[in-house]
Amino acid sequence: MSDMTLPRQPLPGRKPHSTRVAWDWLGLYLASVVLFPRDAFAYLDPGTGSMLIQMIVGGVAGTIVAVKLHWSKIKRFFGIKPLDAPESGAGHDRR
């Protein structure tokens, strides 16, 4: 072994470093930022609201188009098989 190895036991008077403690502190900090925000003194003009509505409508429309394009693959993924198609000429008049 080399002289550069770290000791396995913590030094006397020190607690072992834990990433769990770091994550706990980070979570506490983020929760305090979200729960206790400071005043922003920001101005949102009417154009901002219409832009947000446009983004929502565009997202919904894009989702509908994507689902419509891939509907057969989605049904196949969930194991939904189409009903047996009726035989041709079985009372259906196609004009």
Side-chain angles (χ1 to χ4, degrees):
M1 291 191 159
S2 69
D3 295 325
M4 300 301 284
T5 60
L6 296 174
R8 293 194 181 265
Q9 297 296 326
L11 296 173
R14 290 190 178 183
K15 294 182 180 179
H17 178 67
S18 171
T19 55
R20 176 72 182 160
V21 173
W23 283 109
D24 288 345
W25 278 106
L26 180 65
L28 183 64
Y29 173 74
L30 291 176
S32 67
V33 168
V34 170
L35 295 175
F36 306 110
R38 295 180 179 219
D39 294 334
F41 300 110
Y43 172 73
L44 298 176
D45 62 349
T48 305
S50 65
M51 182 179 66
L52 290 175
I53 292 172
Q54 183 178 0
M55 287 172 42
I56 292 170
V57 170
V60 169
T63 302
I64 290 171
V65 169
V67 168
K68 189 173 181 179
L69 286 174
H70 299 290
W71 184 246
S72 62
K73 293 179 184 178
I74 293 170
K75 286 183 2 182
R76 196 174 336 135
F77 177 76
F78 287 109
I80 302 172
K81 296 180 180 177
L83 298 174
D84 294 334
E87 295 179 14
S88 60
H92 296 286
D93 187 21
R94 292 186 166 202
R95 292 187 183 192

